[in-house]
Amino acid sequence: MSYSSNGNRPKLSEKGLLTPDNCVVTLIDHQGQMLFGTSNFDRQGIINNTVAFGKATRVFDVPVVLTTVETKSFSGNMWPQLRAVFPGQEPIERSSMNSWDDRNFVAAIEKSGRKKILIAGLWTEVCVAFPTVQAIHDGYEIYVVEDCCGDVSQLAHDNAMKRVIQAGAKPVTSMSVMLEWQRDWAHKGTYDAVMDIVKNHYGAYGIGVEYAYTMVHGAPATKFPEYAVPTPALAHK
């Protein structure tokens, strides 16, 4: 069995599936103002799923392209929860609604050398649909991570998903992708990190894992960082 360059995980067979070695991820416009206008999904859920997905890319060493639009004039910064997952990586700033119109964005995708793109962003009918349709036209295979997307209404999101699927994109979720990258629970190099994401972000599944560990297998309970009450910020003085 061959292993990845970091030796932490085995190379997986493709046969139509995603592997950590055959795809690139892009997170588009996960910014304050864009989330304000999202109403089709629970907004806290979108934050949770996107952060979980970002963590999964770190676990499996998948290249990630971050991008934001009109940060100063309209959309606000990329969420700090998401920036914390990618310390030191600056998002590509754009003026274009369509990321595929931005040379720097396309160049970053091309630099990855990968033809499968996992796209997540706000809003679905513009910031996800436009680059999806054009990237497919340019020969890329697109997977839309739907639970990390959102739109101004359910109709807008649903129509966008119909459009990208008709164009050839494949809908997935953050957890389905992570499990597709893991593929086998015997792959111990990433097992604990995947379980950490599950316990932190995936609700009933995570609680079920914790229950099985402690009540069935007799493992010690997971220890999360102790909560410390924040001291008053300088801005509040």
Side-chain angles (χ1 to χ4, degrees):
M1 180 181 290
S2 61
Y3 281 78
S4 65
S5 58
N6 71 359
N8 203 39
R9 52 178 175 76
K11 294 278 189 178
L12 302 178
S13 65
E14 293 192 32
K15 298 182 181 179
L17 293 181
L18 294 164
T19 80
D21 301 301
N22 70 7
C23 59
V24 57
V25 167
T26 181
L27 302 177
I28 302 173
D29 303 350
H30 290 98
Q31 298 165 263
Q33 188 68 255
M34 305 306 293
L35 193 63
F36 295 161
T38 299
S39 65
N40 66 305
F41 290 151
D42 171 64
R43 285 173 283 191
Q44 181 60 45
I46 296 173
I47 295 172
N48 175 70
N49 298 334
T50 307
V51 170
F53 186 46
K55 289 181 178 180
T57 68
R58 294 286 309 279
V59 170
F60 291 97
D61 297 313
V62 178
V64 177
V65 177
L66 305 175
T67 186
T68 50
V69 63
E70 293 293 345
T71 296
K72 299 298 183 183
S73 63
F74 179 76
S75 301
N77 296 322
M78 180 170 279
W79 309 330
Q81 299 96 319
L82 192 55
R83 291 299 303 273
V85 180
F86 303 101
Q89 181 174 348
E90 289 299 319
I92 296 168
E93 179 72 6
R94 314 180 328 275
S95 63
S96 61
M97 289 181 280
N98 178 12
S99 300
W100 214 250
D101 285 335
D102 187 273
R103 293 180 182 179
N104 293 327
F105 178 86
V106 175
I109 296 293
E110 291 174 342
K111 185 178 179 181
S112 74
R114 302 180 179 197
K115 299 298 285 187
K116 298 177 187 285
I117 309 174
L118 287 148
I119 290 182
L122 304 177
W123 297 316
T124 322
E125 65 180 346
V126 177
C127 305
V128 171
F130 291 0
T132 292
V133 170
Q134 291 201 311
I136 290 171
H137 183 273
D138 286 346
Y140 288 86
E141 186 175 343
I142 305 298
Y143 297 76
V144 175
V145 189
E146 189 170 0
D147 63 337
C148 300
C149 302
D151 216 321
V152 297
S153 69
Q154 193 65 54
L155 176 63
H157 176 81
D158 290 346
N159 278 354
M161 291 304 301
K162 290 174 186 176
R163 183 180 185 184
V164 298
I165 291 168
Q166 288 168 357
K170 301 170 179 65
V172 292
T173 67
S174 57
M175 187 164 69
S176 77
V177 173
M178 181 175 70
L179 298 182
E180 199 162 337
W181 288 339
Q182 175 68 27
R183 199 82 64 84
D184 189 333
W185 296 123
H187 297 161
K188 298 302 183 183
T190 51
Y191 177 89
D192 288 338
V194 167
M195 286 296 99
D196 179 71
I197 294 172
V198 166
K199 287 187 283 187
N200 275 279
H201 295 283
Y202 288 120
Y205 180 19
I207 292 298
V209 168
E210 181 72 10
Y211 180 89
Y213 276 17
T214 56
M215 306 307 292
V216 178
H217 302 291
T222 300
K223 287 190 175 181
F224 290 93
E226 292 185 6
Y227 177 71
V229 178
T231 56
L234 291 175
H236 297 162
K237 293 183 179 180

